[in-house]
Amino acid sequence: MTMSLLLRSLIIFTATAVFANGAEPPTPAAGSAASTQPTTKTTMQIESQAFGTTPAGDEVTKFTLTNTKGHSISVMNWGATLMEVNVPDRDGKLANVNLCFDSLKPYLSGHPYFGSSVGRFCNRIEHGKFAIDGVDYQVTLNAGKHHLHGGKKGFTYKTWDSATYQTDDAVGVKFNLTSPDGEEGYPGTVDATVDYQWNDDNELTIDFAATTDAATHINMTNHSYWNLGGAGSGSAMDHVAVIEADEILDVDEDLIPTGTINSVDGTVFDFRTSRSFGERVDTLAATKGYDHCYVVRGTTGQMRRAATVSDPKTGRVLEIETTQPGMQLYTANHLPGTDKSAGAGMHEAFCLETQHYPNTPNRPAFPTTLLKPGSKMRETTVHRFSVE
């Protein structure tokens, strides 16, 4: 059931749960690692509040989805952005584990893609060039001589339409955007959706979908920066990870895939058995850390495990499952530690961006990102939070 929301209104959806007390669920400050005790609720809730106005005059709304345990996520229609993810540690204390800003202004331009929905094409396209059916296209060059994350005004910097909904066991918000033909140099008018769903198992499901009226390339991802100790709690390099990948894309000095796929065996990229991000991060001097795309083990298009990350200090665990063929590990190598990054500095978070491979339009051997009229792109990623 889809329902419209008035700003600052509270909509409560009925869900089965055991009543503990009548207190409202805690809401940690955005971007803060401060913790509070969760509160069990009898219903799942969606709350909406005004979050600011864009220079174009668009009203931005922040939606907070809270499950019956009092654990919550928040999203907004600017950039179809994931903001807070408030989950407990092993002692039951809540903290936001996703880097975000507490006001709209830092999101309006030049931010590190905190929680952004990235498109039309996430990651890099070499020289911003590709051909479709013999026609050459030039998209925006916004990363030196290359194209990155959809260009200067990609999906990250757009106001999306929004609608809330309820299922039998979850609540969610679906965002929709129409990208006109020629935007950032891409052919075709694209209708894109990003669907965030939150349930009582602390599972965050992100579903991307798109259709087009002309052949074009689509590659969408969510660009969240995680710190399971809590946003703002310091380095995330002590987090321990397992990445379900035997191979990684070979890249040149500009991090553009060459088309070769290398084994991770015996390399700094091998996370097939658990090890901390920081164990070997300093050996990657050229990139200041990890910024590489893994080939997720298993069949592309089928949901399977991509990674498991845990924080030894708090006991929080993040498991990621996806239908996507690849996953970019980025260890926040360029966060400046200023207001531009909500105070977070280098290596104080990590990204695991499920996606198709970078530069796929120029690498025909890679799983295709070409979307044609009459077809639909759909990819799903699940983030599951627990404790150990």
Side-chain angles (χ1 to χ4, degrees), residues 282-337:
D282 291 339
T283 66
L284 297 167
T287 52
K288 300 182 180 179
Y290 293 94
D291 194 2
H292 300 81
C293 189
Y294 284 81
V295 177
V296 178
R297 189 183 300 124
T299 302
T300 295
Q302 294 185 4
M303 187 68 73
R304 70 260 192 236
R305 181 75 59 85
T308 304
V309 184
S310 60
D311 174 26
K313 291 182 294 187
T314 65
R316 291 190 184 91
V317 178
L318 168 60
E319 300 169 82
I320 297 177
E321 297 178 355
T322 191
T323 60
Q324 298 263 32
M327 182 176 65
Q328 187 87 3
L329 168 61
Y330 175 56
T331 46
N333 308 324
H334 302 289
L335 292 186

Side-chain angles (χ1 to χ4, degrees), residues 67-136:
N67 65 22
T68 62
K69 300 174 183 177
H71 310 154
S72 66
I73 69 167
S74 62
V75 295
M76 67 172 171
N77 60 321
W78 176 252
T81 300
L82 178 64
M83 300 175 70
E84 300 168 51
V85 177
N86 298 301
V87 290
D89 64 8
R90 63 166 62 96
D91 298 320
K93 295 180 180 180
L94 286 182
N96 170 35
V97 297
N98 186 35
L99 271 58
C100 64
F101 299 106
D102 58 9
S103 65
L104 177 62
K105 184 177 180 180
Y107 285 104
L108 293 176
S109 64
H111 73 90
Y113 299 95
F114 275 3
S116 299
S117 292
V118 180
R120 291 188 187 188
F121 201 97
C122 65
N123 219 310
R124 296 163 176 84
I125 297 177
E126 186 175 15
H127 299 139
K129 294 181 179 180
F130 54 82
I132 299 175
D133 296 331
V135 179
D136 293 329

